[in-house]
């Protein structure tokens, strides 16, 4: 019996040692790459100051083209949006961006009506991408706060990286091998952080436009607002097009709202909530017009 | 609490240590700790269903004693049918009531009668099909005087509720399990080591193979109308490996876990995809259920004693009942029917027992024939799995129709999602590993076992699917 338990213990120790070593290397390599948005902001962006940054989820990533904005308004911008995330991740990304010593005059926050009025923040699908920075107190505290259940895979990866790297092996371990070979490769975004959906025939269902009312209940939104105020950043809330929906925002005097929920012709949608490449140009030019002429 | 969950990884070592270090005094204390652990394990799904488990245990325990104490055959028969009736009644209410009522209502609606059926919409107690059959085998064996009724309630309770097999089998027999729980178990290093190897290999099958295949198979089956021939074929093949990895992986973990407590369970899988015909497949797939139907349905119905007609009739009955056992849906019944149809030519030519021995390979014609037969059998079972996986018969037919008429073989879905060609490679490696170890219980034991175990654990860590968690398929049955 003792022999059995000793062997199991010894073997577990051996596996943990090797596994953690590999996981540590994996995160190290990924942390030096530009694969995901946070690594790109850290390793791939040399500029320290921007006129504006676009922050949001997939709609933020694909609706406003910072290159076109810069060309039109003669500005310097960056898209730090990350797909499949929500306001809690946006707040983390903004904090992370600022913690790298970077600054911006304006924050274009791309929101969705559901997320904006969601009072409960949870861990988002792509939050694991920050795991390369888990030793950073900002990231660790975020994971510790957001993860539910007994085993906080991401938070505890600070001490045992094998947890997060094996749990998200397909998302972290294999990309790290790829990043080792191609450290400058970016995961579906260009050198300014933008991505666009192709121009294909969409299958969206036709119908009449209805209103969606939203409110500012999301605690992360309030934190973003507060952080912007502290840092002297001008906050602009941007609502991208949603097919057949007119988003109604409560009035406020704290920040500017650019509401493009109903401006897009049907053929410029990629799906119900995303625009295609032509739609992106359409929205970006409309955005430039509104931001220039308040 | 699933075998591939963190809670089980904590639960198992605690029970193991309590069993061997604290309650190792005699077999009663050993059994008692396993019963408590089993009840806790079961209550993790829904504690309310514990009453059902306790009731089923009490019913079979007392009716077996009453049956044995009965002085006349008539009384014995009454007890037998009463027990079978109540057991199947529970199964019927929880699992089949809504199906029958809805099917009957659909039939009436088809004839123009408008009906508004009352459906119970009950949650299916996890493992009910398994422990009901488990208990039924016991009372039927008592009735036929194959065994004597168990008088020790603790021993009998453990026989019914033993956690490694409680929720998804294997469906044990009293003749095999009861003698083991009636004696004190002593720790056996080799057996425990085998158990650990089997658990690790079971996890590889579930977390690496089944769950990876599931990601692809689910995407294809859920969107089959927009998929081309190649994607649909791959979807079907991946589902075949998903269900094999899922269920045989579960069985391996169950058998391995049980070995840690010094108890052997019935083998449930024996490399079924290396079968040369469908009869051999059913001797290698879900063995405990197939043999259950053979012993408690096929043989009592007359088996193959009454000539060819009776043989064919009985074969169709057991396949249809087997399909229906899996779930209250016409898709399972068609799946059973398809397997019966596959079986028919073998039966008519008396060839259903022609591939009883192990596959022997060499550089000769027989080996080529064997490989072609294996591939043919795999194709047949894969087509049948489409019905098993589809949500409706029309969906399954639509899937097959599109698969054989689309004639587009570009890597449509395969190339642009998270699992592409690497998944095919992974499945091929798995097939090779199983093929070269087909004479063993699992591939990790034998020479250089520590290297193989290390590789298996590395595969679990690097290839396992965790962030897209999937439950065991057979838990729903």
């Amino acid at each position: 019996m003792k022999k059995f338990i000793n062997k199991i213990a010894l073997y577990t120790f051996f596996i943990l040692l090797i596994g953690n070593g590999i996981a540590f290397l994996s995160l190290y390599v990924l942390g030096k790459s530009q694969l995901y948005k946070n690594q790109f902001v850290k390793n791939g962006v040399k500029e320290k100051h921007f006129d504006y940054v676009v922050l949001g989820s997939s709609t933020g990533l694909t609706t406003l083209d910072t290159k076109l904005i810069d060309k039109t308004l003669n500005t310097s911008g960056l898209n730090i949006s990350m797909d499949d995330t929500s306001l809690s991740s946006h707040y983390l990304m903004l904090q992370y961006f600022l913690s790298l010593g970077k600054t911006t005059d304006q924050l274009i926050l791309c929101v969705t009506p559901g997320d904006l009025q969601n009072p409960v923040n949870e861990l988002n699908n792509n939050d694991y991408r920050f795991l390369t920075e888990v030793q950073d107190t900002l990231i660790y505290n975020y994971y510790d706060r957001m993860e539910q259940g007994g085993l906080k895979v991401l938070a505890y990866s600070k001490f045992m990286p094998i947890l997060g790297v094996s749990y998200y092996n397909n998302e972290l371990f294999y990309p790290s091998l790829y990043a080792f070979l191609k450290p400058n490769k970016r995961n579906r975004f260009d050198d300014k952080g933008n991505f666009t959906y192709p121009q294909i025939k969409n299958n969206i269902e036709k119908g009449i436009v209805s209103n969606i009312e939203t409110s500012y209940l999301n605690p992360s939104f309030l934190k973003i607002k507060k952080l912007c105020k502290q840092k002297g950043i001008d906050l602009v809330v941007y609502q991208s097009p949603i097919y057949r929906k007119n988003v109604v925002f409560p009035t406020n005097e704290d920040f500017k709202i650019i509401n493009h929920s109903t401006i897009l012709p049907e053929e410029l949608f990629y799906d119900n909530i995303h625009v295609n490449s032509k739609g992106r140009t359409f929205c970006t030019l409309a955005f430039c017009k509104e931001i220039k002429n308040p | 609490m699933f075998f591939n969950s963190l809670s089980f990884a904590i639960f198992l070592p605690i029970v193991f240590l309590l069993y061997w270090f604290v309650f190792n005094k005699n077999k009663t204390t050993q059994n008692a700790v396993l019963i408590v652990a089993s009840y806790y394990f079961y209550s993790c799904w829904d504690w309310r269903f514990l009453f059902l488990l306790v009731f089923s245990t009490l019913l079979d325990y007392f009716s077996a004693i009453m049956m044995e104490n009965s002085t006349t055959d008539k009384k014995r028969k009454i007890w037998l049918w009463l027990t079978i009736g109540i057991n199947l009644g529970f199964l019927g209410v929880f699992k089949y009531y809504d199906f029958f009522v809805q099917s009957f209502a659909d039939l009436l609606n088809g004839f123009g009668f408008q009906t508004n059926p009352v459906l119970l919409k009950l949650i299916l107690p996890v493992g009910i099909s398994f422990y009901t059959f488990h208990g039924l085998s016991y009372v039927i064996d008592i009735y036929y005087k194959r065994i004597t009724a168990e008088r020790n309630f603790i021993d009998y309770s453990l026989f019914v509720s033993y956690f490694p097999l409680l929720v998804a089998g294997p469906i044990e027999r009293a003749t095999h399990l009861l003698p083991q729980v009636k004696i004190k178990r002593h720790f056996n290093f080799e057996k425990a080591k085998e158990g650990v190897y089997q658990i690790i290999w079971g996890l590889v099958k579930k977390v690496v193979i089944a769950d990876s295949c599931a990601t692809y198979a689910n995407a294809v089956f859920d969107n089959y109308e927009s998929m081309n021939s190649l994607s649909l074929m791959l979807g079907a093949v991946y589902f075949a490996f998903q269900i094999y990895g899922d269920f045989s992986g579960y069985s391996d973990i169950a058998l391995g876990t049980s070995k840690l407590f010094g108890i052997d369970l019935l083998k449930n899988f024996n490399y079924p995809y290396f079968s040369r015909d469908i009869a051999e497949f059913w001797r290698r797939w879900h063995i405990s259920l197939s043999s259950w139907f053979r012993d408690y349905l096929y043989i009592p119905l007359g088996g193959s004693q009454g000539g060819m007609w009776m043989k064919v009739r009985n074969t169709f009955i057991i396949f249809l009942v087997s399909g229906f056992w899996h779930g209250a849906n016409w898709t399972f019944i068609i799946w059973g029917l398809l397997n019966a149809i596959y079986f028919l030519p073998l039966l008519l030519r008396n060839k259903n027992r022609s591939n009883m021995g192990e596959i022997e390979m060499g550089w000769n014609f027989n080996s080529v024939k064997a490989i072609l037969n294996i591939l043919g059998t795999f194709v047949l079972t894969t087509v049948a799995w489409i019905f098993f996986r589809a949500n409706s018969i029309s969906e399954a037919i639509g899937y097959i129709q599109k698969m054989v008429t689309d004639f587009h073989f570009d890597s449509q879905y395969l190339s642009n999602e998270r699992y592409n060609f690497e998944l095919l490679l992974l499945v091929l490696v798995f097939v090779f590993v199983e093929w070269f170890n087909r004479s063993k219980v699992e591939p990790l034991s034998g020479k250089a076992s520590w290297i193989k175990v290390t590789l298996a654990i590395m595969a679990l860590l690097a290839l396992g699917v965790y962030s897209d968690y999937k439950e065991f398929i057979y838990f729903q049955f």
Side-chain angles (χ1 to χ4, degrees), chain B residues 13-68:
Chain B
I14 292 173
V15 179
F16 178 84
L17 292 174
L18 287 173
Y19 180 81
W20 289 117
F21 286 103
V22 184
F23 296 97
N24 194 29
K25 196 176 166 192
N26 53 50
K27 67 110 181 171
T28 307
T29 53
Q30 284 183 326
N31 289 353
V33 74
L34 286 180
I35 291 170
V36 172
S38 300
Y39 276 52
Y40 172 75
F41 179 80
Y42 194 67
S43 69
C44 288
W45 275 281
D46 194 329
W47 63 269
R48 290 168 299 179
F49 291 132
L50 269 179
F51 293 108
L52 205 61
L53 181 64
V54 172
F55 178 79
S56 176
T57 307
L58 287 169
L59 173 74
D60 296 341
Y61 173 76
F62 284 111
S63 55
I65 292 172
M66 296 307 286
M67 208 185 301
E68 197 168 73

Side-chain angles (χ1 to χ4, degrees), chain B residues 213-224 235-236 238-240 242-243 329 331-332 335 381-393 395-396 399 470 473 476-477:
Chain B
C213 288
T215 307
Y216 192 105
N218 289 345
V220 173
F221 273 88
D222 292 345
N223 305 287
Y224 76 94
Y238 285 145
F239 180 69
Q242 180 197 348
I243 194 158
N329 193 329
T331 51
F332 294 118
W335 170 75
T381 49
T382 301
V383 170
W385 287 132
I386 294 173
F387 284 89
F388 194 95
R389 170 63 178 77
N391 295 318
S392 65
I393 294 171
E395 201 177 293
Y399 189 105
K470 290 171 186 79
I473 294 174
Q476 63 182 296
F477 307 137

Side-chain angles (χ1 to χ4, degrees), chain A residues 126-170:
Chain A
N126 284 338
D127 284 347
Y128 65 83
R129 291 176 179 178
F130 282 99
L131 196 68
T132 49
E133 312 300 321
V134 71
Q135 300 301 331
D136 184 335
T137 314
L138 171 72
I139 308 298
Y140 171 76
N141 287 344
Y142 175 80
Y143 288 150
D144 192 39
R145 204 173 52 246
M146 302 298 274
E147 282 189 292
Q148 305 294 320
L151 182 67
K152 297 180 175 182
V153 168
L154 292 170
Y156 298 166
S157 292
K158 180 175 182 177
F159 317 104
M160 208 181 260
I162 194 174
L163 286 173
V165 175
S166 58
Y167 192 84
Y168 292 98
N169 51 26
N170 201 55

Side-chain angles (χ1 to χ4, degrees), chain B residues 181-438:
Chain B
V181 302
K182 290 194 71 60
I183 52 168
K184 182 177 187 275
R185 276 80 63 188
H186 297 280
F187 186 79
N188 179 320
F189 178 80
E190 286 305 318
K191 189 181 255 190
K193 195 172 81 176
E194 274 175 33
V196 172
Y197 287 175
Q198 215 165 345
I199 291 171
I200 293 170
W201 186 241
L203 283 170
V204 169
K205 279 177 170 176
K206 164 65 181 161
V207 181
V208 177
I209 302 300
D211 289 353
S212 299
C213 288
T215 307
Y216 192 105
N218 289 345
V220 173
F221 273 88
D222 292 345
N223 305 287
Y224 76 94
E225 283 163 324
S226 59
M227 296 289 154
N228 68 20
S229 288
L230 178 66
S231 302
L232 292 167
M233 283 174 189
L234 283 171
V237 169
Y238 285 145
F239 180 69
F241 281 98
Q242 180 197 348
I243 194 158
Y244 171 60
D246 192 285
F247 193 21
S248 73
Y250 177 90
S251 294
D252 279 337
I253 301 169
L255 267 73
T257 301
S258 189
K259 279 178 184 165
L260 290 177
F261 300 104
I263 295 173
D264 286 315
L265 297 181
L266 289 171
K267 192 175 182 178
N268 219 13
F269 287 86
N270 186 18
Y271 304 100
Y273 288 152
F274 300 143
S275 305
R276 288 154 290 184
D277 60 46
I278 207 74
E280 190 184 12
F281 176 82
W282 282 105
R283 287 192 294 273
R284 289 168 174 267
W285 178 277
H286 203 174
I287 301 165
S288 65
L289 181 71
S290 308
S291 59
W292 196 101
F293 279 123
R294 181 195 63 210
D295 295 344
Y296 299 106
L297 190 62
Y298 184 74
I299 292 172
L301 284 171
S304 50
Q305 301 301 310
M308 186 56 76
W309 157 243
M310 190 178 263
K311 221 155 69 167
V312 171
R313 184 201 70 175
N314 294 345
T315 302
F316 270 77
I317 289 174
I318 62 161
F319 273 113
L320 288 173
V321 173
S322 171
F324 199 48
W325 176 90
H326 281 85
N329 193 329
W330 287 104
T331 51
F332 294 118
I333 296 170
I334 297 294
W335 170 75
L337 180 69
L338 259 183
N339 277 287
I341 293 167
Y342 293 162
F343 209 93
L344 194 61
L346 296 171
L347 210 58
L348 294 175
R349 293 183 299 141
N350 269 325
K351 295 261 187 181
N352 54 316
R353 300 185 76 77
S354 57
N355 285 316
M356 298 295 285
E358 286 302 312
I359 309 157
E360 284 179 20
M361 282 289 145
W363 295 102
N364 53 42
F365 175 71
N366 282 343
S367 300
V368 176
K369 196 179 149 198
I371 289 173
L372 290 175
N373 286 341
I374 288 169
L375 288 173
T377 308
F378 179 72
V379 170
L380 289 177
T381 49
T382 301
V383 170
W385 287 132
I386 294 173
F387 284 89
F388 194 95
R389 170 63 178 77
N391 295 318
S392 65
I393 294 171
S394 59
E395 201 177 293
I397 291 170
Y399 189 105
I400 295 169
Q401 207 171 21
K402 186 106 201 285
M403 185 168 72
V404 295
T405 57
D406 176 83
F407 292 122
H408 286 95
F409 296 93
D410 53 305
S411 59
Q412 181 198 26
Y413 181 75
L414 197 63
S415 60
N416 61 7
E417 283 299 322
R418 56 183 284 202
Y419 287 102
N420 42 44
F421 289 104
E422 288 95 355
L423 180 57
L424 207 55
L425 191 68
L426 185 68
V427 170
L428 284 175
V429 169
F430 173 68
V431 170
F432 277 107
V433 169
E434 290 233 306
W435 175 258
F436 290 111
N437 291 281
R438 64 190 187 277

